[in-house]
Amino acid sequence: MSPPVIDPQVLAELQQQAGAEFVRELVDTFAEEGPAQLAAMRAAVAAADGPSPALRRAAHSIKSNATTFGAGRLAALARALELGERCADAAALDELQAALDEALAALRASSTE
C-alpha cells in the first residue's frame, strides 16, 4: 500500500494550529504559485545547463510548501531537484508536475471536507 498523497496528521495539525480557513487560503495560494514555479523551472532548464539558481529557488519553494502540507512525495522530488541530486530534465519535471497536480487535488478535496 502506497503512502497517502497528503499526510493527514500533518494537515490536521496545520489546520488545528492555523485554522481551517487560513489553510484553505494557503492551498489557494499554493495552487496559483506552484504551477508558476514549475513553469519557471522549465524555463530555467530550457535556458541553461545544469541546476541554475532560478531552478533551485523554485524547487525550494515547492519543497517548502509541500512539506508544510504533508505532501511527502512532492517534497522529496522537489528536494532532489533543488539539491541537484536528480538531473533537471523533462522527465524529472514531468514527474514533479504529476506529483504537484496530485497533491493539489488532494489538498483541495481535504479543504472542502
mmCIF file of all heavy atoms in Angstrom, residues 7-54:
data_model
loop_
_atom_site.group_PDB
_atom_site.id
_atom_site.type_symbol
_atom_site.label_atom_id
_atom_site.label_comp_id
_atom_site.label_asym_id
_atom_site.label_seq_id
_atom_site.Cartn_x
_atom_site.Cartn_y
_atom_site.Cartn_z
ATOM 1 N N ASP A 7 -0.104 13.675 4.009
ATOM 2 C CA ASP A 7 -0.115 13.050 5.332
ATOM 3 C C ASP A 7 -1.252 13.692 6.140
ATOM 4 O O ASP A 7 -1.191 14.887 6.458
ATOM 5 C CB ASP A 7 1.232 13.273 6.020
ATOM 6 C CG ASP A 7 1.332 12.604 7.373
ATOM 7 O OD1 ASP A 7 0.308 12.485 8.084
ATOM 8 O OD2 ASP A 7 2.454 12.209 7.743
ATOM 9 N N PRO A 8 -2.283 12.933 6.463
ATOM 10 C CA PRO A 8 -3.438 13.526 7.132
ATOM 11 C C PRO A 8 -3.102 14.119 8.502
ATOM 12 O O PRO A 8 -3.704 15.110 8.914
ATOM 13 C CB PRO A 8 -4.439 12.370 7.251
ATOM 14 C CG PRO A 8 -3.654 11.135 7.030
ATOM 15 C CD PRO A 8 -2.451 11.503 6.234
ATOM 16 N N GLN A 9 -2.118 13.550 9.185
ATOM 17 C CA GLN A 9 -1.739 14.070 10.506
ATOM 18 C C GLN A 9 -1.088 15.447 10.374
ATOM 19 O O GLN A 9 -1.394 16.358 11.145
ATOM 20 C CB GLN A 9 -0.808 13.102 11.219
ATOM 21 C CG GLN A 9 -0.464 13.545 12.622
ATOM 22 C CD GLN A 9 0.371 12.524 13.370
ATOM 23 O OE1 GLN A 9 0.706 11.479 12.839
ATOM 24 N NE2 GLN A 9 0.715 12.830 14.600
ATOM 25 N N VAL A 10 -0.209 15.605 9.388
ATOM 26 C CA VAL A 10 0.441 16.896 9.172
ATOM 27 C C VAL A 10 -0.597 17.953 8.825
ATOM 28 O O VAL A 10 -0.586 19.061 9.372
ATOM 29 C CB VAL A 10 1.519 16.795 8.064
ATOM 30 C CG1 VAL A 10 2.052 18.164 7.678
ATOM 31 C CG2 VAL A 10 2.657 15.886 8.499
ATOM 32 N N LEU A 11 -1.512 17.609 7.924
ATOM 33 C CA LEU A 11 -2.548 18.567 7.519
ATOM 34 C C LEU A 11 -3.471 18.900 8.688
ATOM 35 O O LEU A 11 -3.827 20.072 8.891
ATOM 36 C CB LEU A 11 -3.336 18.026 6.332
ATOM 37 C CG LEU A 11 -4.304 19.008 5.693
ATOM 38 C CD1 LEU A 11 -3.591 20.264 5.199
ATOM 39 C CD2 LEU A 11 -5.043 18.335 4.549
ATOM 40 N N ALA A 12 -3.843 17.910 9.480
ATOM 41 C CA ALA A 12 -4.715 18.148 10.634
ATOM 42 C C ALA A 12 -4.038 19.074 11.648
ATOM 43 O O ALA A 12 -4.669 19.973 12.207
ATOM 44 C CB ALA A 12 -5.106 16.826 11.288
ATOM 45 N N GLU A 13 -2.740 18.852 11.875
ATOM 46 C CA GLU A 13 -2.003 19.717 12.807
ATOM 47 C C GLU A 13 -1.937 21.142 12.289
ATOM 48 O O GLU A 13 -2.093 22.097 13.049
ATOM 49 C CB GLU A 13 -0.607 19.164 13.053
ATOM 50 C CG GLU A 13 -0.595 17.913 13.898
ATOM 51 C CD GLU A 13 0.775 17.257 13.999
ATOM 52 O OE1 GLU A 13 1.786 17.855 13.544
ATOM 53 O OE2 GLU A 13 0.848 16.140 14.530
ATOM 54 N N LEU A 14 -1.711 21.294 10.995
ATOM 55 C CA LEU A 14 -1.672 22.623 10.391
ATOM 56 C C LEU A 14 -3.022 23.312 10.550
ATOM 57 O O LEU A 14 -3.092 24.487 10.928
ATOM 58 C CB LEU A 14 -1.278 22.525 8.914
ATOM 59 C CG LEU A 14 -1.214 23.838 8.132
ATOM 60 C CD1 LEU A 14 -0.163 24.775 8.719
ATOM 61 C CD2 LEU A 14 -0.930 23.554 6.664
ATOM 62 N N GLN A 15 -4.102 22.584 10.282
ATOM 63 C CA GLN A 15 -5.443 23.162 10.412
ATOM 64 C C GLN A 15 -5.745 23.525 11.865
ATOM 65 O O GLN A 15 -6.365 24.551 12.131
ATOM 66 C CB GLN A 15 -6.490 22.197 9.861
ATOM 67 C CG GLN A 15 -6.433 22.096 8.349
ATOM 68 C CD GLN A 15 -7.314 21.005 7.777
ATOM 69 O OE1 GLN A 15 -7.548 19.986 8.416
ATOM 70 N NE2 GLN A 15 -7.784 21.215 6.559
ATOM 71 N N GLN A 16 -5.288 22.705 12.791
ATOM 72 C CA GLN A 16 -5.515 22.976 14.203
ATOM 73 C C GLN A 16 -4.747 24.220 14.639
ATOM 74 O O GLN A 16 -5.267 25.055 15.375
ATOM 75 C CB GLN A 16 -5.109 21.778 15.056
ATOM 76 C CG GLN A 16 -5.395 21.950 16.526
ATOM 77 C CD GLN A 16 -4.997 20.731 17.337
ATOM 78 O OE1 GLN A 16 -4.271 19.869 16.873
ATOM 79 N NE2 GLN A 16 -5.469 20.663 18.566
ATOM 80 N N GLN A 17 -3.516 24.353 14.168
ATOM 81 C CA GLN A 17 -2.684 25.483 14.575
ATOM 82 C C GLN A 17 -3.077 26.787 13.878
ATOM 83 O O GLN A 17 -3.092 27.842 14.496
ATOM 84 C CB GLN A 17 -1.211 25.185 14.300
ATOM 85 C CG GLN A 17 -0.643 24.103 15.170
ATOM 86 C CD GLN A 17 0.765 23.707 14.760
ATOM 87 O OE1 GLN A 17 1.319 24.198 13.792
ATOM 88 N NE2 GLN A 17 1.359 22.793 15.517
ATOM 89 N N ALA A 18 -3.359 26.704 12.586
ATOM 90 C CA ALA A 18 -3.580 27.917 11.800
ATOM 91 C C ALA A 18 -5.055 28.202 11.541
ATOM 92 O O ALA A 18 -5.402 29.328 11.185
ATOM 93 C CB ALA A 18 -2.843 27.814 10.473
ATOM 94 N N GLY A 19 -5.897 27.203 11.669
ATOM 95 C CA GLY A 19 -7.316 27.370 11.372
ATOM 96 C C GLY A 19 -7.626 26.905 9.957
ATOM 97 O O GLY A 19 -6.839 27.118 9.032
ATOM 98 N N ALA A 20 -8.764 26.266 9.808
ATOM 99 C CA ALA A 20 -9.149 25.671 8.527
ATOM 100 C C ALA A 20 -9.270 26.717 7.422
ATOM 101 O O ALA A 20 -8.863 26.474 6.282
ATOM 102 C CB ALA A 20 -10.454 24.898 8.677
ATOM 103 N N GLU A 21 -9.816 27.885 7.739
ATOM 104 C CA GLU A 21 -9.987 28.935 6.720
ATOM 105 C C GLU A 21 -8.633 29.417 6.210
ATOM 106 O O GLU A 21 -8.443 29.591 5.000
ATOM 107 C CB GLU A 21 -10.794 30.107 7.283
ATOM 108 C CG GLU A 21 -11.053 31.212 6.286
ATOM 109 C CD GLU A 21 -11.846 30.770 5.058
ATOM 110 O OE1 GLU A 21 -12.704 29.882 5.179
ATOM 111 O OE2 GLU A 21 -11.588 31.317 3.970
ATOM 112 N N PHE A 22 -7.685 29.620 7.106
ATOM 113 C CA PHE A 22 -6.358 30.070 6.691
ATOM 114 C C PHE A 22 -5.664 28.999 5.859
ATOM 115 O O PHE A 22 -5.002 29.308 4.865
ATOM 116 C CB PHE A 22 -5.505 30.455 7.902
ATOM 117 C CG PHE A 22 -4.175 31.023 7.526
ATOM 118 C CD1 PHE A 22 -4.082 32.225 6.835
ATOM 119 C CD2 PHE A 22 -3.009 30.354 7.854
ATOM 120 C CE1 PHE A 22 -2.845 32.750 6.475
ATOM 121 C CE2 PHE A 22 -1.772 30.872 7.497
ATOM 122 C CZ PHE A 22 -1.692 32.070 6.807
ATOM 123 N N VAL A 23 -5.837 27.747 6.217
ATOM 124 C CA VAL A 23 -5.247 26.655 5.444
ATOM 125 C C VAL A 23 -5.849 26.630 4.036
ATOM 126 O O VAL A 23 -5.126 26.429 3.057
ATOM 127 C CB VAL A 23 -5.391 25.297 6.168
ATOM 128 C CG1 VAL A 23 -4.969 24.144 5.268
ATOM 129 C CG2 VAL A 23 -4.567 25.302 7.457
ATOM 130 N N ARG A 24 -7.142 26.873 3.918
ATOM 131 C CA ARG A 24 -7.767 26.951 2.581
ATOM 132 C C ARG A 24 -7.127 28.074 1.761
ATOM 133 O O ARG A 24 -6.871 27.925 0.565
ATOM 134 C CB ARG A 24 -9.275 27.159 2.692
ATOM 135 C CG ARG A 24 -10.049 25.871 2.905
ATOM 136 C CD ARG A 24 -11.552 26.062 2.744
ATOM 137 N NE ARG A 24 -12.152 26.828 3.831
ATOM 138 C CZ ARG A 24 -12.494 26.313 5.007
ATOM 139 N NH1 ARG A 24 -12.310 25.033 5.253
ATOM 140 N NH2 ARG A 24 -13.027 27.067 5.939
ATOM 141 N N GLU A 25 -6.844 29.204 2.403
ATOM 142 C CA GLU A 25 -6.180 30.310 1.713
ATOM 143 C C GLU A 25 -4.765 29.914 1.282
ATOM 144 O O GLU A 25 -4.330 30.263 0.176
ATOM 145 C CB GLU A 25 -6.130 31.543 2.609
ATOM 146 C CG GLU A 25 -7.482 32.175 2.857
ATOM 147 C CD GLU A 25 -7.424 33.311 3.855
ATOM 148 O OE1 GLU A 25 -6.342 33.909 4.047
ATOM 149 O OE2 GLU A 25 -8.472 33.621 4.454
ATOM 150 N N LEU A 26 -4.063 29.189 2.154
ATOM 151 C CA LEU A 26 -2.722 28.715 1.800
ATOM 152 C C LEU A 26 -2.770 27.760 0.612
ATOM 153 O O LEU A 26 -1.925 27.833 -0.278
ATOM 154 C CB LEU A 26 -2.072 28.016 3.001
ATOM 155 C CG LEU A 26 -1.669 28.886 4.181
ATOM 156 C CD1 LEU A 26 -1.143 28.001 5.322
ATOM 157 C CD2 LEU A 26 -0.636 29.916 3.781
ATOM 158 N N VAL A 27 -3.747 26.882 0.615
ATOM 159 C CA VAL A 27 -3.911 25.940 -0.504
ATOM 160 C C VAL A 27 -4.179 26.709 -1.790
ATOM 161 O O VAL A 27 -3.581 26.415 -2.838
ATOM 162 C CB VAL A 27 -5.026 24.912 -0.211
ATOM 163 C CG1 VAL A 27 -5.374 24.114 -1.462
ATOM 164 C CG2 VAL A 27 -4.609 23.981 0.927
ATOM 165 N N ASP A 28 -5.053 27.705 -1.728
ATOM 166 C CA ASP A 28 -5.356 28.512 -2.915
ATOM 167 C C ASP A 28 -4.099 29.214 -3.435
ATOM 168 O O ASP A 28 -3.861 29.263 -4.641
ATOM 169 C CB ASP A 28 -6.442 29.546 -2.613
ATOM 170 C CG ASP A 28 -7.812 28.932 -2.407
ATOM 171 O OD1 ASP A 28 -8.014 27.753 -2.795
ATOM 172 O OD2 ASP A 28 -8.691 29.624 -1.841
ATOM 173 N N THR A 29 -3.307 29.745 -2.525
ATOM 174 C CA THR A 29 -2.067 30.418 -2.916
ATOM 175 C C THR A 29 -1.094 29.424 -3.545
ATOM 176 O O THR A 29 -0.484 29.711 -4.582
ATOM 177 C CB THR A 29 -1.418 31.101 -1.694
ATOM 178 O OG1 THR A 29 -2.343 32.072 -1.172
ATOM 179 C CG2 THR A 29 -0.118 31.793 -2.062
ATOM 180 N N PHE A 30 -0.968 28.262 -2.946
ATOM 181 C CA PHE A 30 -0.077 27.233 -3.492
ATOM 182 C C PHE A 30 -0.570 26.766 -4.856
ATOM 183 O O PHE A 30 0.235 26.507 -5.758
ATOM 184 C CB PHE A 30 0.029 26.066 -2.511
ATOM 185 C CG PHE A 30 1.024 25.005 -2.908
ATOM 186 C CD1 PHE A 30 2.283 25.334 -3.378
ATOM 187 C CD2 PHE A 30 0.708 23.665 -2.790
ATOM 188 C CE1 PHE A 30 3.208 24.358 -3.738
ATOM 189 C CE2 PHE A 30 1.618 22.679 -3.139
ATOM 190 C CZ PHE A 30 2.871 23.034 -3.610
ATOM 191 N N ALA A 31 -1.887 26.701 -5.041
ATOM 192 C CA ALA A 31 -2.455 26.288 -6.330
ATOM 193 C C ALA A 31 -2.138 27.308 -7.420
ATOM 194 O O ALA A 31 -2.038 26.951 -8.595
ATOM 195 C CB ALA A 31 -3.964 26.097 -6.207
ATOM 196 N N GLU A 32 -1.955 28.564 -7.039
ATOM 197 C CA GLU A 32 -1.565 29.593 -8.005
ATOM 198 C C GLU A 32 -0.055 29.604 -8.226
ATOM 199 O O GLU A 32 0.415 29.698 -9.357
ATOM 200 C CB GLU A 32 -2.010 30.977 -7.515
ATOM 201 C CG GLU A 32 -3.504 31.181 -7.510
ATOM 202 C CD GLU A 32 -3.896 32.513 -6.885
ATOM 203 O OE1 GLU A 32 -3.016 33.384 -6.724
ATOM 204 O OE2 GLU A 32 -5.076 32.669 -6.551
ATOM 205 N N GLU A 33 0.690 29.530 -7.137
ATOM 206 C CA GLU A 33 2.139 29.694 -7.215
ATOM 207 C C GLU A 33 2.874 28.429 -7.651
ATOM 208 O O GLU A 33 3.899 28.522 -8.334
ATOM 209 C CB GLU A 33 2.687 30.174 -5.874
ATOM 210 C CG GLU A 33 2.227 31.570 -5.515
ATOM 211 C CD GLU A 33 2.694 32.029 -4.146
ATOM 212 O OE1 GLU A 33 3.346 31.243 -3.430
ATOM 213 O OE2 GLU A 33 2.399 33.184 -3.803
ATOM 214 N N GLY A 34 2.389 27.274 -7.266
ATOM 215 C CA GLY A 34 3.076 26.029 -7.601
ATOM 216 C C GLY A 34 3.269 25.843 -9.101
ATOM 217 O O GLY A 34 4.402 25.612 -9.559
ATOM 218 N N PRO A 35 2.202 25.955 -9.892
ATOM 219 C CA PRO A 35 2.372 25.830 -11.340
ATOM 220 C C PRO A 35 3.295 26.907 -11.926
ATOM 221 O O PRO A 35 4.066 26.641 -12.852
ATOM 222 C CB PRO A 35 0.952 25.956 -11.882
ATOM 223 C CG PRO A 35 0.098 25.449 -10.761
ATOM 224 C CD PRO A 35 0.784 25.967 -9.519
ATOM 225 N N ALA A 36 3.243 28.115 -11.382
ATOM 226 C CA ALA A 36 4.130 29.181 -11.863
ATOM 227 C C ALA A 36 5.589 28.849 -11.548
ATOM 228 O O ALA A 36 6.490 29.100 -12.367
ATOM 229 C CB ALA A 36 3.735 30.520 -11.243
ATOM 230 N N GLN A 37 5.824 28.279 -10.376
ATOM 231 C CA GLN A 37 7.187 27.890 -10.013
ATOM 232 C C GLN A 37 7.681 26.758 -10.908
ATOM 233 O O GLN A 37 8.839 26.754 -11.329
ATOM 234 C CB GLN A 37 7.246 27.501 -8.532
ATOM 235 C CG GLN A 37 7.047 28.703 -7.639
ATOM 236 C CD GLN A 37 6.571 28.356 -6.255
ATOM 237 O OE1 GLN A 37 6.050 27.278 -6.003
ATOM 238 N NE2 GLN A 37 6.730 29.289 -5.334
ATOM 239 N N LEU A 38 6.811 25.832 -11.220
ATOM 240 C CA LEU A 38 7.189 24.747 -12.116
ATOM 241 C C LEU A 38 7.480 25.288 -13.516
ATOM 242 O O LEU A 38 8.434 24.860 -14.167
ATOM 243 C CB LEU A 38 6.098 23.674 -12.159
ATOM 244 C CG LEU A 38 6.446 22.408 -12.904
ATOM 245 C CD1 LEU A 38 7.688 21.728 -12.318
ATOM 246 C CD2 LEU A 38 5.299 21.446 -12.876
ATOM 247 N N ALA A 39 6.710 26.256 -13.966
ATOM 248 C CA ALA A 39 6.977 26.882 -15.265
ATOM 249 C C ALA A 39 8.327 27.583 -15.255
ATOM 250 O O ALA A 39 9.081 27.523 -16.239
ATOM 251 C CB ALA A 39 5.866 27.871 -15.610
ATOM 252 N N ALA A 40 8.675 28.214 -14.136
ATOM 253 C CA ALA A 40 9.984 28.857 -14.004
ATOM 254 C C ALA A 40 11.102 27.816 -14.059
ATOM 255 O O ALA A 40 12.162 28.069 -14.647
ATOM 256 C CB ALA A 40 10.059 29.653 -12.701
ATOM 257 N N MET A 41 10.852 26.660 -13.474
ATOM 258 C CA MET A 41 11.845 25.582 -13.521
ATOM 259 C C MET A 41 12.031 25.101 -14.957
ATOM 260 O O MET A 41 13.162 24.888 -15.405
ATOM 261 C CB MET A 41 11.412 24.426 -12.611
ATOM 262 C CG MET A 41 11.458 24.776 -11.146
ATOM 263 S SD MET A 41 10.779 23.476 -10.099
ATOM 264 C CE MET A 41 12.074 22.257 -10.214
ATOM 265 N N ARG A 42 10.937 24.945 -15.682
ATOM 266 C CA ARG A 42 11.032 24.515 -17.090
ATOM 267 C C ARG A 42 11.798 25.548 -17.918
ATOM 268 O O ARG A 42 12.623 25.194 -18.755
ATOM 269 C CB ARG A 42 9.635 24.277 -17.668
ATOM 270 C CG ARG A 42 8.957 23.026 -17.125
ATOM 271 C CD ARG A 42 7.652 22.731 -17.867
ATOM 272 N NE ARG A 42 6.887 21.693 -17.237
ATOM 273 C CZ ARG A 42 7.107 20.381 -17.359
ATOM 274 N NH1 ARG A 42 8.110 19.950 -18.082
ATOM 275 N NH2 ARG A 42 6.327 19.504 -16.748
ATOM 276 N N ALA A 43 11.545 26.823 -17.671
ATOM 277 C CA ALA A 43 12.254 27.877 -18.396
ATOM 278 C C ALA A 43 13.736 27.865 -18.049
ATOM 279 O O ALA A 43 14.594 28.034 -18.929
ATOM 280 C CB ALA A 43 11.647 29.243 -18.075
ATOM 281 N N ALA A 44 14.063 27.628 -16.795
ATOM 282 C CA ALA A 44 15.459 27.580 -16.375
ATOM 283 C C ALA A 44 16.182 26.406 -17.027
ATOM 284 O O ALA A 44 17.336 26.536 -17.457
ATOM 285 C CB ALA A 44 15.559 27.487 -14.850
ATOM 286 N N VAL A 45 15.509 25.269 -17.127
ATOM 287 C CA VAL A 45 16.105 24.094 -17.767
ATOM 288 C C VAL A 45 16.329 24.372 -19.255
ATOM 289 O O VAL A 45 17.369 24.021 -19.814
ATOM 290 C CB VAL A 45 15.235 22.842 -17.557
ATOM 291 C CG1 VAL A 45 15.644 21.704 -18.466
ATOM 292 C CG2 VAL A 45 15.292 22.407 -16.098
ATOM 293 N N ALA A 46 15.376 25.029 -19.884
ATOM 294 C CA ALA A 46 15.494 25.319 -21.312
ATOM 295 C C ALA A 46 16.611 26.325 -21.588
ATOM 296 O O ALA A 46 17.224 26.295 -22.658
ATOM 297 C CB ALA A 46 14.176 25.851 -21.848
ATOM 298 N N ALA A 47 16.908 27.191 -20.624
ATOM 299 C CA ALA A 47 17.866 28.272 -20.836
ATOM 300 C C ALA A 47 19.292 27.942 -20.415
ATOM 301 O O ALA A 47 20.213 28.648 -20.807
ATOM 302 C CB ALA A 47 17.401 29.511 -20.080
ATOM 303 N N ALA A 48 19.494 26.901 -19.625
ATOM 304 C CA ALA A 48 20.833 26.683 -19.062
ATOM 305 C C ALA A 48 21.141 25.203 -18.920
ATOM 306 O O ALA A 48 20.256 24.366 -18.913
ATOM 307 C CB ALA A 48 20.929 27.354 -17.697
ATOM 308 N N ASP A 49 22.419 24.930 -18.804
ATOM 309 C CA ASP A 49 22.871 23.571 -18.493
ATOM 310 C C ASP A 49 23.014 23.457 -16.988
ATOM 311 O O ASP A 49 23.602 24.317 -16.345
ATOM 312 C CB ASP A 49 24.221 23.279 -19.151
ATOM 313 C CG ASP A 49 24.145 23.251 -20.665
ATOM 314 O OD1 ASP A 49 23.036 23.064 -21.209
ATOM 315 O OD2 ASP A 49 25.188 23.410 -21.284
ATOM 316 N N GLY A 50 22.501 22.368 -16.446
ATOM 317 C CA GLY A 50 22.644 22.127 -15.017
ATOM 318 C C GLY A 50 21.651 22.926 -14.192
ATOM 319 O O GLY A 50 20.903 23.743 -14.704
ATOM 320 N N PRO A 51 21.669 22.682 -12.881
ATOM 321 C CA PRO A 51 20.726 23.356 -11.996
ATOM 322 C C PRO A 51 21.109 24.827 -11.799
ATOM 323 O O PRO A 51 22.154 25.134 -11.259
ATOM 324 C CB PRO A 51 20.807 22.568 -10.693
ATOM 325 C CG PRO A 51 22.128 21.881 -10.732
ATOM 326 C CD PRO A 51 22.471 21.691 -12.184
ATOM 327 N N SER A 52 20.279 25.718 -12.255
ATOM 328 C CA SER A 52 20.526 27.150 -12.120
ATOM 329 C C SER A 52 19.973 27.642 -10.781
ATOM 330 O O SER A 52 19.147 26.969 -10.163
ATOM 331 C CB SER A 52 19.849 27.895 -13.261
ATOM 332 O OG SER A 52 18.443 27.833 -13.103
ATOM 333 N N PRO A 53 20.403 28.817 -10.350
ATOM 334 C CA PRO A 53 19.829 29.376 -9.119
ATOM 335 C C PRO A 53 18.308 29.542 -9.211
ATOM 336 O O PRO A 53 17.608 29.300 -8.233
ATOM 337 C CB PRO A 53 20.526 30.732 -8.981
ATOM 338 C CG PRO A 53 21.836 30.543 -9.685
ATOM 339 C CD PRO A 53 21.519 29.621 -10.839
ATOM 340 N N ALA A 54 17.797 29.914 -10.382
ATOM 341 C CA ALA A 54 16.340 30.074 -10.537
ATOM 342 C C ALA A 54 15.628 28.746 -10.352
ATOM 343 O O ALA A 54 14.583 28.671 -9.698
ATOM 344 C CB ALA A 54 16.023 30.669 -11.905
#
